[in-house]
Structure formats: structure tokens, C-alpha cells
Amino acid sequence: MYRTHNCGALRISDVGQEVVLSGWNQASRDFGGMTFVDLRDRYGITQLVFNIDDNKELAEKAQKLGREYVLRVEGVVRERSNKNPNRPTGDIEIEVRSMDILNGSKTPPFTIEDETDGGDDLRMKYRYLDIRRAPVRENLIFRSKLAIETRKYLSDNDFVEVETPNLIKSTPEGARDFVVPSRMNPGQFYALPQSPQTFKQLLMVAGMDRYFQIVKCFRDEDLRADRQPEFTQIDCEMAFVTRDEVLDTFEGLTKHLFKETLGIELPDFPKISYDEAMTRYGSDKPDTRFGMEFVEMNDFAKGQGFGVFDNSELVVGIVAKGIASEYSNKNLKELTEWMQRPQIGAKGLVYVKFNEDGSIKSTVGKFFDDEALVNWGNRMGATPGDIIFALSGEAEKTRKQLNELRLEMGRRLGLMDPKVFNPLWVVDFPLLEWDEESERFHAMHHPFTAPKKEDEQRMLTGDHETMKSLRADAYDLVINGVEIGGGSIRIHDRDLQSKNFDLLGFTKEEAEAQFGFLLGAFEYGAPPHGGIAFGFDRLCAVLNGQNSIRDFIAFPKNNQGRDIMIDAPAPVDQEQLKELHLDLDLENK
């Protein structure tokens, strides 16, 4: 046999046992008469000992081992004289009696250690080696446990796992589709699903009542740390439910996952409206691990002869507590320049510094005397040692800019403890967004989201301005400033769904061509229904206090959407293109 135990199993109670272990040579240490080898597998590391006095041939063989050689050893467990308290197997070692080299190895391009010297691209090219490192391996094991616990909870709550198609029809809403040419239908294409949205609604029409799927989805969009072209969702739908019943069910799922994977008992999740989130934090996914909430300043900062404020739709600020002595003029200048970067686009940054000695320093001291600035402090809850930061301009844009500053100050001041988790529900989103450039409405979530019950009639009969104020029966789960999942109560009435397509700029013909199958299904007794989808990769990262989802995906793509390990995407042979009726001479185009 290759092993009687794995490399993480043996303890002091096993001393004297004859064992067989197999794994990789993590590291070798040669001390002349003694050679020590750290043998590693998925489960841990066990130290092997080769003594030249006991078996010269075997010891010399061990001295020649390269890193990552695959070994099988037989030996006896003995107590270590120099114990390693940082390793579960650190009380014992194996006195090796025989060893087989199962496979050699080239010298790895980076060290297979917790802290490696390999850069991102190098590790992604040799991902099969990177996964041997404990941090990446443990992330993938965590992901597996999270999936198992998800299935347990949903199964126990009467959800049925149903697979939906991966080759579907392209739709114009949302992100760009990945398209797949059909060989048997010349000139026609499938699309890879951005989500199983319409299929899970059809399952509710079909009477399945409670559906879930841990499903792969695809979006052809620009990438960043929390995006990949293919990603995984916990996708769910329920029939005959209200919004709060959906929220209770998936708050329960979230609490279950935290308890079973991290041992953390979460309190009940607060709910705040979209409007409240934007007013208090400038974001529909606020990080509530720290305060620094927005204070609107129009009524006490405008009308004092400072044109920048007086001519603005909104003046709004935050208070950073206890940092006045730490932030010099140089620090404040650097922060202002940070806000003026094109990514944020602030024209400047107003600050009022309340020093511990009672003095006040401000960028607007020429326009506001100390009495006025003290009033600012009183109105905003600032005390000696604090700094007020303020921005002004068009309301929506200014709130977004101040949100960036709030988050940056949270990072700089160490207020974002990765071991603290603050979940909340954001509810009552706008149903539609008006886009000035295209001069049409877009769905804030997706075209199948139902309006609030009290807004249904206004949606059917209201004018253009009324449509801007419609609220959706939609909700997002936010944890530590990250949108973990989102969903809504769905439209289940053909007339209301047709009206929504009208508002989104679909002609009757386009709506029928794209979604006629769903509209038709609504004519056969569609029940009220709603659901949610969690970003599974993102949930894994948040539970582990990490920003990037890459290390929770076995074989991720880079920022250009490439798999640099297998070198994909790649050109396709001209004969394949001909079969697909895509005879493209790419070199001459």
C-alpha cells in the first residue's frame, strides 16, 4: 500500500507504530550524519529522519532528494527530541527504514511555502503547484465545506436542486454574453448564462416551489479583484412567499454558514432602505463596521458667501475622530490629491481640523470664522482632536466621492477588522434608472423584478416622472461593504411584465422574440414568487477576510480574462471555423 496514515495524522500516542507514508518532499536538511525531510500531503507535514549510521545507502539516497520529489517511506514513529509546537505532528518523527522515489521533479519555479516568492502570473501559470501551498489548498477546502453546508441547509428547508441549461439564448439586458456558435444551425448562436434567472422562474410556474443550484455563470465584462468571467452562484427561488419570508430564509442560510464554518453566531440582520443607505453612507453596500456617517451640511454651510458651497446641490461631510494630531498639512495635502485622482474626480477637499489646544485650522478659514466652524463641529458631533472632511457638488456624485473617502479613512485608521462581520439587508431599491445618454430606462436589478405592491398601479398608469420614483421589491445582502447577494420578488403577471418591457425600451416584437416563452408561461397560472442569488466565490472571500476571489477558485483567469496555465483563449483551426460557418481570415483583417 502507499500509506497507512496521511502526513497530518500521527501524534505522540502513535510512538512505536510501523507506518507507511507517501507525499512530496517539502524541504530537506542535511547535517552530514543525519538528514531530515519534511514530507507533505494535503493533510499536513511529517518529519522523516535518515541516519547514516543505521543505513548508509538509504541516508545517501535521502541526501540527493530534490524538492517536490514524490516519495513513499516505511518506518517507525518515534518521539522528537526537538519538538515543533507550530505543527500538529511536531511531537513525533519517522525513523525511515525504506524509501521509494515514486517520481522526480524539476526545481519548482517558486517556493512551495505559505509565504512564497512567486508573483501572481507565475503562480497562475503553475497553478497545480500553487495549490500545493497550504493557504490556497485550505481556501479550496473551505470552499468545499461551504458548498456542503449550503446544500445541507437548503435541503433541510425543502429546496430541490435542479440543473438548468448552460447553452441558452442571448439577451440584451445586463452584461455582455459569451456566445457559442451552433454548427447545426448556421449563423445562429447560443449564449452562456449570466444567471439561470428565467429558468428558475419557469420552475416556479412548474410547481417546484423551492429550487436551488450552486451554478456556474458567465459574464463577458471587465475584470477586477472580485470579478471573473466565470463565477459561481448559490441560486435560489421560492413560490408563494413575501419579501420578508425570503429574507428570513436566507438570513438563516447565512447564519448557518457562519456558525458551521467559522463558529460565529451572527445577530439578526438590520434592514435599511436604499435611500437611507445612500443618505448615511453614499453607497448601496455600506460597510457598517465603523461609523463616520454622512452629515448633510446645506442648512449651516451654505449662504455664507462661499460660492463653491452656495452653488452646489449638496454639501456633505464626515467626522474622523481623534486624528488631528496625526494628520499634518502634508498628510492632508496628500489626501486631497488622492481624492482628486481621475478614479474619484473630486475638485478638492474641505477640511476643518479641531486641535487639542482649542485652535482650529481649515481650508475655508477665509470664508468662515471660528464661531461658524465651531457650529459645524457642534452640528456634526466633532470634538477637539477630530477632523471634519466635506465635499460639495451634484448630490449623487458627491455622495459617491465621499463614500470613497470614508472607506479610505476606514482603511487608513484600521477600522475594518476582518474578524468582525456586520451583515445587513438593503431594501426598496429604485425599480428603474434613467440613462440620459441612451434616453431610456434601465432595470436597476433585472427586467423581471416586481415593483412594490403599492407602486404597481403607478407603474401601469403613471407618466415618465412617476416611473423614476417607482420602488422595487428588491433586496441585497451586504456584509462588510461587500454585496454578497441580491434578489427580488418577481413579476408573475403577463401584463405587468409586458409593461416593464415597454418601459425598458423593448418593442412588442422584441419582447416576444426574447422572452415570449416566459410571457407565455405566465398565462398558465404563474404563482407569486421571489428569490435570491449569492456570489459564492465572493462569500468565500468575505468569510475569510480577503478581497480577491481568485484564491477561492481552483483555476482562475487573470485580469485580461486569460487562463495563462492552459493559454486560453486561443486561436481555432480554420477547419473548425468552417464547420461552425465562421470562415474568418483573421490574419488579413
Side-chain angles (χ1 to χ4, degrees):
M1 63 177 67
Y2 283 111
R3 55 189 179 188
T4 56
H5 299 77
N6 63 56
C7 292
L10 296 169
R11 300 292 187 270
I12 195 71
S13 58
D14 297 303
V15 167
Q17 274 200 57
E18 293 186 2
V19 297
V20 181
L21 301 181
S22 292
W24 288 263
N25 175 19
Q26 168 101 357
S28 302
R29 298 174 297 282
D30 182 14
F31 296 101
M34 300 281 283
T35 299
F36 297 92
V37 170
D38 286 342
L39 190 69
R40 182 195 70 240
D41 65 8
R42 177 191 130 188
Y43 306 94
I45 296 175
T46 298
Q47 178 170 284
L48 312 179
V49 183
F50 300 83
N51 191 329
I52 200 166
D53 292 334
D54 294 338
N55 190 323
K56 181 178 180 182
E57 182 181 352
L58 184 60
E60 289 176 346
K61 187 177 180 181
Q63 290 171 353
K64 297 175 183 177
L65 291 174
R67 281 193 293 144
E68 299 304 309
Y69 273 42
V70 188
L71 310 175
R72 175 190 178 277
V73 299
E74 296 182 21
V76 177
V77 182
R78 73 183 193 188
E79 184 174 0
R80 281 178 65 162
S81 58
N82 184 20
K83 294 181 172 59
N84 183 349
N86 298 318
R87 187 178 289 174
T89 60
D91 291 342
I92 58 94
E93 60 192 8
I94 308 301
E95 183 181 337
V96 178
R97 304 284 175 82
S98 67
M99 176 177 67
D100 296 321
I101 297 175
L102 303 177
N103 217 334
S105 173
K106 290 183 177 180
T107 300
F110 52 86
T111 55
I112 313 295
E113 302 279 356
D114 288 4
E115 297 294 330
T116 183
D117 54 1
D120 285 349
D121 283 351
L122 184 64
R123 289 188 295 111
M124 288 178 72
K125 183 175 181 179
Y126 296 94
R127 185 63 167 177
Y128 46 85
L129 297 180
D130 197 30
I131 292 173
R132 291 183 189 174
R133 295 194 309 115
V136 182
R137 181 179 69 246
E138 291 306 315
N139 284 348
L140 297 181
I141 293 171
F142 179 87
R143 180 191 177 100
S144 173
K145 289 178 179 177
L146 198 69
I148 290 167
E149 290 301 332
T150 297
R151 286 190 164 94
K152 281 182 185 177
Y153 175 89
L154 293 173
S155 177
D156 288 346
N157 282 273
D158 296 326
F159 283 80
V160 178
E161 186 167 14
V162 182
E163 292 185 351
T164 54
N166 277 333
L167 294 175
I168 65 168
K169 191 175 192 176
S170 183
T171 58
E173 285 292 313
R176 296 183 189 89
D177 288 326
F178 283 101
V179 295
V180 180
S182 170
R183 178 181 61 82
M184 293 184 289
N185 300 275
Q188 296 186 323
F189 297 81
Y190 299 105
L192 301 180
Q194 296 185 34
S195 95
Q197 181 61 45
T198 54
F199 290 100
K200 64 180 181 178
Q201 290 189 248
L202 291 171
L203 286 169
M204 296 304 100
V205 177
M208 290 304 292
D209 193 68
R210 291 189 170 203
Y211 141 93
F212 87 97
Q213 188 179 186
I214 299 179
V215 60
K216 188 77 77 174
C217 301
F218 307 85
R219 291 180 188 171
D220 186 7
E221 59 185 356
D222 296 336
L223 306 181
R224 58 190 188 207
D226 63 346
R227 280 185 184 168
Q228 284 276 298
E230 52 181 310
F231 58 96
T232 304
Q233 288 184 175
I234 306 172
D235 197 65
C236 306
E237 199 78 5
M238 307 168 72
F240 302 110
V241 286
T242 63
R243 183 200 74 177
D244 286 347
E245 287 172 316
V246 176
L247 298 193
D248 288 346
T249 301
F250 292 96
E251 184 169 321
L253 170 62
T254 308
K255 289 178 178 179
H256 174 83
L257 295 178
F258 269 83
K259 183 178 179 181
E260 296 302 321
T261 59
L262 301 182
I264 292 174
E265 298 264 5
L266 292 176
D268 291 344
F269 301 179
K271 299 182 185 72
I272 67 171
S273 70
Y274 170 87
D275 288 342
E276 183 183 356
M278 296 304 295
T279 299
R280 291 171 59 188
Y281 303 102
S283 170
D284 59 2
K285 46 181 185 292
D287 190 333
T288 58
R289 283 175 293 179
F290 62 102
M292 227 179 286
E293 293 187 22
F294 290 11
V295 179
E296 296 192 2
M297 305 170 61
N298 283 13
D299 63 335
F300 57 87
K302 293 178 75 168
Q304 305 295 315
F306 182 47
V308 173
F309 283 1
D310 294 346
N311 298 323
S312 295
E313 181 183 359
L314 176 68
V315 184
V316 63
I318 57 175
V319 178
K321 306 294 290 183
I323 69 167
S325 61
E326 302 171 28
Y327 269 64
S328 65
N329 290 343
K330 182 180 178 182
N331 297 137
L332 292 166
K333 182 181 177 183
E334 182 273 327
L335 190 61
T336 301
E337 291 171 349
W338 188 88
M339 290 293 294
Q340 291 172 323
R341 296 175 308 142
Q343 299 95 311
I344 298 177
K347 292 180 180 177
L349 177 62
V350 171
Y351 67 82
V352 182
K353 186 177 182 182
F354 296 92
N355 294 312
E356 296 280 2
D357 62 7
S359 62
I360 299 174
K361 182 175 178 59
S362 174
T363 47
V364 292
K366 293 180 181 178
F367 303 93
F368 300 90
D369 59 24
D370 282 3
E371 183 180 351
L373 296 177
V374 167
N375 181 51
W376 286 21
N378 292 336
R379 298 285 293 270
M380 299 179 69
T383 56
D386 300 344
I387 300 179
I388 290 174
F389 295 106
L391 294 174
S392 63
E394 185 271 319
E396 183 178 355
K397 183 177 180 182
T398 301
R399 285 194 177 100
K400 288 181 179 178
Q401 291 170 343
L402 191 61
N403 170 59
E404 294 293 338
L405 176 61
R406 176 182 180 270
L407 294 176
E408 180 64 13
M409 294 307 297
R411 283 187 283 269
R412 294 187 183 197
L413 300 177
L415 303 177
M416 298 175 168
D417 187 342
K419 295 182 180 179
V420 172
F421 298 95
N422 274 28
L424 71 153
W425 292 106
V426 180
V427 300
D428 296 350
F429 284 80
L431 181 69
L432 305 168
E433 294 179 290
W434 177 255
D435 182 67
E436 294 290 348
E437 190 171 323
S438 61
E439 294 189 330
R440 73 179 186 92
F441 285 111
H442 293 270
M444 187 137 187
H445 275 70
H446 55 60
F448 315 106
T449 298
K452 298 283 288 185
K453 201 72 177 172
E454 54 268 35
D455 286 358
E456 273 190 20
Q457 194 56 40
R458 293 198 304 134
M459 179 177 172
L460 289 169
T461 61
D463 59 17
H464 181 273
E465 288 305 310
T466 298
M467 299 306 158
K468 292 181 179 179
S469 65
L470 295 175
R471 294 168 303 156
D473 213 350
Y475 33 83
D476 282 356
L477 174 62
V478 176
I479 303 177
N480 295 357
V482 178
E483 179 197 329
I484 295 299
S488 66
I489 298 300
R490 322 300 188 187
I491 296 171
H492 66 281
D493 174 79
R494 177 170 183 135
D495 290 341
L496 195 61
Q497 185 65 73
S498 296
K499 176 64 175 178
N500 206 30
F501 286 145
D502 292 344
L503 293 173
L504 295 171
F506 289 84
T507 65
K508 297 293 184 189
E509 294 74 21
E510 287 170 339
E512 186 63 33
Q514 293 289 337
F515 302 109
F517 63 94
L518 183 65
L519 294 170
F522 285 172
E523 296 178 335
Y524 289 91
H529 59 281
I532 197 167
F534 284 11
F536 188 62
D537 317 289
R538 199 174 290 178
L539 182 62
C540 289
V542 169
L543 263 68
N544 286 274
Q546 299 184 33
N547 294 320
S548 175
I549 65 175
R550 278 186 191 170
D551 282 342
F552 294 89
I553 298 173
F555 300 102
K557 309 289 189 292
N558 70 6
N559 285 341
Q560 287 73 49
R562 295 196 64 83
D563 185 326
I564 56 179
M565 182 182 68
I566 64 172
D567 194 23
V572 174
D573 186 90
Q574 284 292 323
E575 286 303 313
Q576 285 180 276
L577 292 174
K578 284 180 182 178
E579 284 188 337
L580 295 169
H581 315 283
L582 296 172
D583 191 8
L584 305 176
D585 186 2
L586 296 177
E587 291 184 1
N588 296 324
K589 287 186 180 265

